[in-house]
Amino acid sequence: MNVRQRGAHEEWVAFLCKCLTKSADDAIESLNRLVELRRRNLERLGKATGASVQNGQRLLGLLEASPFMGISDVTEKLDIARTTASKLVEGFERLGILVQREAGRRRYRTFQYEEYLSILRQGSEPL
């Protein structure tokens, strides 16, 4: 209102710049946390999955693009057998990378990359 009534354009521009700077700082912090999460998970995969390290790395890349996934998604997107996809997802669960969305469900289970999602959610809570 001060902009229209008093011509306080400088105050508005300063406020806008402060908001943009804060937003950029938050984005950089989130990106740094996501890069660190990826580094840690690649390290875990290298130690834990042995021969399937390549599939593990491919699945991790898929999860970063789409953090919700089912066994059939893994099978299709990685072009691997369903049993291989199932074992890969189970390994990711054991490592704490994936979490089953609806606990106790035996069929048509979906999983989420919870730690990744929590980084993306940070700061988006309602005021």
Side-chain angles (χ1 to χ4, degrees):
M1 192 139 151
N2 284 337
V3 174
R4 275 188 287 148
Q5 292 177 347
R6 295 183 316 152
H9 299 304
E10 289 179 21
E11 290 174 24
W12 173 248
V13 170
F15 170 75
L16 183 60
C17 288
K18 189 181 291 186
C19 290
L20 290 172
T21 300
K22 173 71 172 127
S23 181
D25 289 343
D26 289 347
I28 290 169
E29 181 182 334
S30 292
L31 285 172
N32 286 336
R33 292 181 65 209
L34 290 170
V35 167
E36 176 58 22
L37 176 63
R38 178 176 176 76
R39 186 201 60 73
R40 265 194 339 265
N41 284 334
L42 285 172
E43 187 176 301
R44 284 184 200 164
L45 289 172
K47 292 178 182 175
T49 57
S52 61
V53 170
Q54 187 177 18
N55 282 337
Q57 291 171 346
R58 291 173 58 209
L59 178 55
L60 188 61
L62 283 175
L63 290 168
E64 291 169 344
S66 179
F68 300 97
M69 205 158 288
I71 303 290
S72 57
D73 299 315
V74 176
T75 300
E76 179 185 321
K77 293 178 180 178
L78 294 183
D79 193 27
I80 57 178
R82 186 166 182 81
T83 54
T84 303
S86 184
K87 287 178 184 176
L88 191 57
V89 168
E90 287 172 10
F92 271 54
E93 272 190 293
R94 275 193 307 279
L95 292 171
I97 297 171
L98 282 177
V99 176
Q100 186 174 336
R101 293 183 72 195
E102 298 172 21
R105 196 166 182 182
R106 311 258 333 149
R107 296 182 57 148
Y108 307 109
R109 298 174 298 158
T110 56
F111 303 86
Q112 62 190 38
Y113 189 7
E114 183 55 43
E115 195 171 0
Y116 183 86
L117 289 168
S118 70
I119 292 170
L120 296 179
R121 286 186 202 115
Q122 191 171 32
S124 65
E125 297 83 17
L127 298 175

